[in-house]
Amino acid sequence: MNKIKNYLKRLWNALWDSTDLDEKAEAALKEAKARIAEMKKELADVKKAAKNVVAQSKDVVDAAKGKKRRGKKPYKKYKTNNNKPKK
């Protein structure tokens, strides 16, 4: 009886070793984890962009009310004469 049991165990293990289901499952799990990580990064970017959109929309509403523009001052160019060639 013990010989038959051992034979069946070896046969079962041989069958499992010949299939690649477990390797495919591991690869699929690894791929799913990688995709989830990328999705988390993209969602963080989307969240940041959405906050920026909300802030910009408030500025549009303020502009419609007639308020002056907030934020950075416009860039002014200053003329310098440092690049003139010497004679």
Side-chain angles (χ1 to χ4, degrees), residues 59-72:
D59 291 343
V60 171
V61 171
D62 289 343
K65 290 179 183 177
K67 293 185 180 179
K68 291 197 175 200
R69 184 174 180 203
R70 300 182 316 175
K72 289 175 32 174

Side-chain angles (χ1 to χ4, degrees), residues 2-63:
N2 198 14
K3 286 183 179 183
I4 295 174
K5 188 176 181 181
N6 285 336
Y7 173 75
L8 290 175
K9 280 184 181 180
R10 284 186 300 160
L11 179 64
W12 181 256
N13 289 335
L15 286 173
W16 271 106
D17 289 341
S18 67
T19 63
D20 58 350
L21 286 177
D22 52 344
E23 287 89 8
K24 287 182 180 178
E26 287 175 6
L29 182 62
K30 186 177 179 181
E31 177 70 22
K33 285 182 180 180
R35 288 185 183 189
I36 289 171
E38 288 298 319
M39 286 174 54
K40 284 181 182 179
K41 289 179 187 176
E42 289 298 323
L43 283 174
D45 289 344
V46 168
K47 181 181 175 183
K48 184 178 176 182
K51 284 183 180 181
N52 193 17
V53 168
V54 169
Q56 294 295 324
S57 65
K58 288 179 184 177
D59 291 343
V60 171
V61 171
D62 289 343

